[in-house]
mmCIF file of all heavy atoms in Angstrom:
data_model
loop_
_atom_site.group_PDB
_atom_site.id
_atom_site.type_symbol
_atom_site.label_atom_id
_atom_site.label_comp_id
_atom_site.label_asym_id
_atom_site.label_seq_id
_atom_site.Cartn_x
_atom_site.Cartn_y
_atom_site.Cartn_z
ATOM 1 N N ILE E 1 -11.821 24.177 11.798
ATOM 2 C CA ILE E 1 -10.453 23.819 11.393
ATOM 3 C C ILE E 1 -9.794 23.129 12.574
ATOM 4 O O ILE E 1 -9.737 23.677 13.678
ATOM 5 C CB ILE E 1 -9.648 25.061 10.973
ATOM 6 C CG1 ILE E 1 -10.334 25.769 9.798
ATOM 7 C CG2 ILE E 1 -8.223 24.666 10.584
ATOM 8 C CD1 ILE E 1 -9.661 27.070 9.381
ATOM 9 N N ASP E 2 -9.304 21.908 12.362
ATOM 10 C CA ASP E 2 -8.736 21.141 13.469
ATOM 11 C C ASP E 2 -7.262 21.482 13.700
ATOM 12 O O ASP E 2 -6.692 22.353 13.014
ATOM 13 C CB ASP E 2 -8.953 19.640 13.263
ATOM 14 C CG ASP E 2 -8.241 19.075 12.041
ATOM 15 O OD1 ASP E 2 -7.154 19.584 11.674
ATOM 16 O OD2 ASP E 2 -8.769 18.108 11.440
ATOM 17 N N ALA E 3 -6.643 20.800 14.657
ATOM 18 C CA ALA E 3 -5.272 21.115 15.057
ATOM 19 C C ALA E 3 -4.257 20.835 13.959
ATOM 20 O O ALA E 3 -3.132 21.356 13.999
ATOM 21 C CB ALA E 3 -4.910 20.330 16.315
ATOM 22 N N PHE E 4 -4.622 20.003 12.979
ATOM 23 C CA PHE E 4 -3.721 19.700 11.868
ATOM 24 C C PHE E 4 -3.902 20.674 10.705
ATOM 25 O O PHE E 4 -3.190 20.598 9.704
ATOM 26 C CB PHE E 4 -3.963 18.274 11.371
ATOM 27 C CG PHE E 4 -3.752 17.222 12.413
ATOM 28 C CD1 PHE E 4 -4.820 16.704 13.118
ATOM 29 C CD2 PHE E 4 -2.479 16.760 12.705
ATOM 30 C CE1 PHE E 4 -4.634 15.737 14.086
ATOM 31 C CE2 PHE E 4 -2.279 15.793 13.672
ATOM 32 C CZ PHE E 4 -3.354 15.272 14.377
ATOM 33 N N GLY E 5 -4.891 21.563 10.809
ATOM 34 C CA GLY E 5 -5.231 22.447 9.702
ATOM 35 C C GLY E 5 -6.247 21.837 8.766
ATOM 36 O O GLY E 5 -6.496 22.362 7.677
ATOM 37 N N GLY E 6 -6.873 20.724 9.177
ATOM 38 C CA GLY E 6 -7.867 20.060 8.349
ATOM 39 C C GLY E 6 -9.252 20.640 8.520
ATOM 40 O O GLY E 6 -9.613 21.128 9.591
ATOM 41 N N SER E 7 -10.043 20.555 7.457
ATOM 42 C CA SER E 7 -11.440 20.975 7.494
ATOM 43 C C SER E 7 -12.188 20.171 6.437
ATOM 44 O O SER E 7 -11.592 19.346 5.729
ATOM 45 C CB SER E 7 -11.562 22.484 7.250
ATOM 46 O OG SER E 7 -12.861 22.926 7.557
ATOM 47 N N VAL E 8 -13.517 20.383 6.330
ATOM 48 C CA VAL E 8 -14.324 19.563 5.420
ATOM 49 C C VAL E 8 -14.863 20.388 4.256
ATOM 50 O O VAL E 8 -14.942 21.604 4.318
ATOM 51 C CB VAL E 8 -15.489 18.886 6.169
ATOM 52 C CG1 VAL E 8 -14.976 17.839 7.135
ATOM 53 C CG2 VAL E 8 -16.346 19.911 6.900
ATOM 54 N N HIS E 9 -15.248 19.665 3.187
ATOM 55 C CA HIS E 9 -15.787 20.240 1.945
ATOM 56 C C HIS E 9 -14.714 21.101 1.252
ATOM 57 O O HIS E 9 -14.834 22.323 1.149
ATOM 58 C CB HIS E 9 -17.032 21.098 2.198
ATOM 59 C CG HIS E 9 -18.051 20.491 3.106
ATOM 60 N ND1 HIS E 9 -18.501 19.191 2.977
ATOM 61 C CD2 HIS E 9 -18.733 21.020 4.157
ATOM 62 C CE1 HIS E 9 -19.414 18.948 3.919
ATOM 63 N NE2 HIS E 9 -19.564 20.043 4.639
ATOM 64 N N ASP E 10 -13.674 20.450 0.765
ATOM 65 C CA ASP E 10 -12.555 21.235 0.234
ATOM 66 C C ASP E 10 -12.678 21.530 -1.244
ATOM 67 O O ASP E 10 -13.298 20.796 -2.008
ATOM 68 C CB ASP E 10 -11.214 20.569 0.562
ATOM 69 C CG ASP E 10 -10.746 19.534 -0.454
ATOM 70 O OD1 ASP E 10 -10.487 19.900 -1.608
ATOM 71 O OD2 ASP E 10 -10.604 18.357 -0.088
ATOM 72 N N VAL E 11 -12.049 22.654 -1.623
ATOM 73 C CA VAL E 11 -11.890 23.039 -3.023
ATOM 74 C C VAL E 11 -10.402 23.154 -3.348
ATOM 75 O O VAL E 11 -9.977 23.999 -4.126
ATOM 76 C CB VAL E 11 -12.642 24.353 -3.348
ATOM 77 C CG1 VAL E 11 -14.131 24.110 -3.416
ATOM 78 C CG2 VAL E 11 -12.345 25.446 -2.323
ATOM 79 N N ILE E 12 -9.610 22.254 -2.737
ATOM 80 C CA ILE E 12 -8.165 22.242 -3.006
ATOM 81 C C ILE E 12 -7.731 20.962 -3.712
ATOM 82 O O ILE E 12 -6.786 20.976 -4.499
ATOM 83 C CB ILE E 12 -7.327 22.454 -1.724
ATOM 84 C CG1 ILE E 12 -7.773 21.520 -0.595
ATOM 85 C CG2 ILE E 12 -7.412 23.895 -1.263
ATOM 86 C CD1 ILE E 12 -6.972 21.654 0.693
ATOM 87 N N GLY E 13 -8.412 19.849 -3.439
ATOM 88 C CA GLY E 13 -8.058 18.603 -4.109
ATOM 89 C C GLY E 13 -8.631 18.557 -5.507
ATOM 90 O O GLY E 13 -9.606 19.242 -5.833
ATOM 91 N N THR E 14 -8.055 17.746 -6.346
ATOM 92 C CA THR E 14 -8.470 17.710 -7.744
ATOM 93 C C THR E 14 -9.544 16.669 -8.012
ATOM 94 O O THR E 14 -10.531 16.949 -8.666
ATOM 95 C CB THR E 14 -7.264 17.443 -8.649
ATOM 96 O OG1 THR E 14 -6.595 16.251 -8.217
ATOM 97 C CG2 THR E 14 -6.292 18.608 -8.589
ATOM 98 N N ARG E 15 -9.417 15.471 -7.579
ATOM 99 C CA ARG E 15 -10.250 14.273 -7.681
ATOM 100 C C ARG E 15 -9.284 13.121 -7.911
ATOM 101 O O ARG E 15 -8.278 13.276 -8.614
ATOM 102 C CB ARG E 15 -11.289 14.344 -8.823
ATOM 103 C CG ARG E 15 -10.676 14.450 -10.238
ATOM 104 C CD ARG E 15 -11.675 14.985 -11.221
ATOM 105 N NE ARG E 15 -11.113 15.194 -12.544
ATOM 106 C CZ ARG E 15 -10.452 16.287 -12.913
ATOM 107 N NH1 ARG E 15 -10.244 17.263 -12.040
ATOM 108 N NH2 ARG E 15 -9.993 16.417 -14.149
ATOM 109 N N CYS E 16 -9.521 11.978 -7.341
ATOM 110 C CA CYS E 16 -8.642 10.840 -7.620
ATOM 111 C C CYS E 16 -8.844 10.442 -9.080
ATOM 112 O O CYS E 16 -9.957 10.484 -9.601
ATOM 113 C CB CYS E 16 -8.898 9.688 -6.663
ATOM 114 S SG CYS E 16 -10.586 9.020 -6.610
ATOM 115 N N ASP E 17 -7.748 10.093 -9.732
ATOM 116 C CA ASP E 17 -7.813 9.863 -11.178
ATOM 117 C C ASP E 17 -6.865 8.755 -11.593
ATOM 118 O O ASP E 17 -5.890 8.454 -10.900
ATOM 119 C CB ASP E 17 -7.454 11.158 -11.917
ATOM 120 C CG ASP E 17 -5.989 11.513 -11.760
ATOM 121 O OD1 ASP E 17 -5.632 12.172 -10.760
ATOM 122 O OD2 ASP E 17 -5.166 11.098 -12.595
ATOM 123 N N PRO E 18 -7.102 8.112 -12.748
ATOM 124 C CA PRO E 18 -6.258 6.996 -13.181
ATOM 125 C C PRO E 18 -4.905 7.433 -13.710
ATOM 126 O O PRO E 18 -3.963 6.633 -13.732
ATOM 127 C CB PRO E 18 -7.094 6.340 -14.285
ATOM 128 C CG PRO E 18 -7.919 7.453 -14.839
ATOM 129 C CD PRO E 18 -8.235 8.347 -13.668
ATOM 130 N N TYR E 19 -4.776 8.679 -14.120
ATOM 131 C CA TYR E 19 -3.523 9.139 -14.693
ATOM 132 C C TYR E 19 -2.448 9.297 -13.618
ATOM 133 O O TYR E 19 -1.296 8.882 -13.805
ATOM 134 C CB TYR E 19 -3.743 10.459 -15.434
ATOM 135 C CG TYR E 19 -4.762 10.326 -16.538
ATOM 136 C CD1 TYR E 19 -6.073 10.762 -16.357
ATOM 137 C CD2 TYR E 19 -4.436 9.729 -17.750
ATOM 138 C CE1 TYR E 19 -7.019 10.613 -17.355
ATOM 139 C CE2 TYR E 19 -5.377 9.581 -18.759
ATOM 140 C CZ TYR E 19 -6.667 10.023 -18.560
ATOM 141 O OH TYR E 19 -7.604 9.862 -19.550
ATOM 142 N N THR E 20 -2.817 9.880 -12.483
ATOM 143 C CA THR E 20 -1.860 10.010 -11.387
ATOM 144 C C THR E 20 -1.529 8.634 -10.823
ATOM 145 O O THR E 20 -0.375 8.358 -10.472
ATOM 146 C CB THR E 20 -2.432 10.931 -10.289
ATOM 147 O OG1 THR E 20 -2.776 12.185 -10.865
ATOM 148 C CG2 THR E 20 -1.404 11.161 -9.194
ATOM 149 N N GLY E 21 -2.531 7.751 -10.739
ATOM 150 C CA GLY E 21 -2.260 6.390 -10.282
ATOM 151 C C GLY E 21 -1.270 5.683 -11.186
ATOM 152 O O GLY E 21 -0.353 5.000 -10.719
ATOM 153 N N ASN E 22 -1.430 5.868 -12.484
ATOM 154 C CA ASN E 22 -0.495 5.258 -13.425
ATOM 155 C C ASN E 22 0.890 5.878 -13.302
ATOM 156 O O ASN E 22 1.914 5.172 -13.355
ATOM 157 C CB ASN E 22 -1.030 5.414 -14.849
ATOM 158 C CG ASN E 22 -0.142 4.741 -15.868
ATOM 159 O OD1 ASN E 22 0.686 5.387 -16.509
ATOM 160 N ND2 ASN E 22 -0.296 3.432 -16.007
ATOM 161 N N LEU E 23 0.945 7.200 -13.098
ATOM 162 C CA LEU E 23 2.228 7.889 -12.956
ATOM 163 C C LEU E 23 2.992 7.411 -11.724
ATOM 164 O O LEU E 23 4.197 7.149 -11.784
ATOM 165 C CB LEU E 23 1.979 9.396 -12.858
ATOM 166 C CG LEU E 23 3.188 10.286 -12.595
ATOM 167 C CD1 LEU E 23 4.117 10.288 -13.803
ATOM 168 C CD2 LEU E 23 2.729 11.707 -12.273
ATOM 169 N N LEU E 24 2.289 7.285 -10.603
ATOM 170 C CA LEU E 24 2.952 6.972 -9.340
ATOM 171 C C LEU E 24 3.126 5.478 -9.097
ATOM 172 O O LEU E 24 4.082 5.064 -8.430
ATOM 173 C CB LEU E 24 2.167 7.581 -8.174
ATOM 174 C CG LEU E 24 2.059 9.109 -8.156
ATOM 175 C CD1 LEU E 24 1.208 9.569 -6.993
ATOM 176 C CD2 LEU E 24 3.450 9.748 -8.085
ATOM 177 N N ALA E 25 2.201 4.665 -9.624
ATOM 178 C CA ALA E 25 2.230 3.240 -9.286
ATOM 179 C C ALA E 25 2.108 2.315 -10.491
ATOM 180 O O ALA E 25 2.095 1.092 -10.326
ATOM 181 C CB ALA E 25 1.113 2.923 -8.297
ATOM 182 N N GLY E 26 1.986 2.875 -11.690
ATOM 183 C CA GLY E 26 1.852 2.035 -12.874
ATOM 184 C C GLY E 26 0.531 1.293 -12.938
ATOM 185 O O GLY E 26 0.414 0.275 -13.620
ATOM 186 N N SER E 27 -0.502 1.805 -12.264
ATOM 187 C CA SER E 27 -1.774 1.092 -12.158
ATOM 188 C C SER E 27 -2.706 1.439 -13.316
ATOM 189 O O SER E 27 -2.503 2.408 -14.043
ATOM 190 C CB SER E 27 -2.444 1.429 -10.829
ATOM 191 O OG SER E 27 -2.731 2.816 -10.761
ATOM 192 N N GLN E 28 -3.737 0.611 -13.460
ATOM 193 C CA GLN E 28 -4.827 0.856 -14.415
ATOM 194 C C GLN E 28 -6.131 0.708 -13.639
ATOM 195 O O GLN E 28 -6.839 -0.293 -13.749
ATOM 196 C CB GLN E 28 -4.758 -0.134 -15.570
ATOM 197 C CG GLN E 28 -3.557 0.010 -16.476
ATOM 198 C CD GLN E 28 -3.652 1.237 -17.376
ATOM 199 O OE1 GLN E 28 -4.731 1.647 -17.775
ATOM 200 N NE2 GLN E 28 -2.499 1.812 -17.693
#
C-alpha cells in the first residue's frame, strides 16, 4: 500500500462502462 493508499488488483472498482460515460459526458 503506497503513501496515497493505493494498491494493485482491486475489488473496489466496477469496470469502465458506456452508461457512466454517457451520464457524465454524453458519449457513445
Side-chain angles (χ1 to χ4, degrees):
I1 301 176
D2 64 32
F4 301 97
S7 192
V8 292
H9 314 313
D10 87 64
V11 286
I12 50 179
T14 54
R15 63 200 176 276
C16 58
D17 70 274
Y19 301 101
T20 304
N22 183 262
L23 175 68
L24 297 177
S27 62
Q28 293 287 328

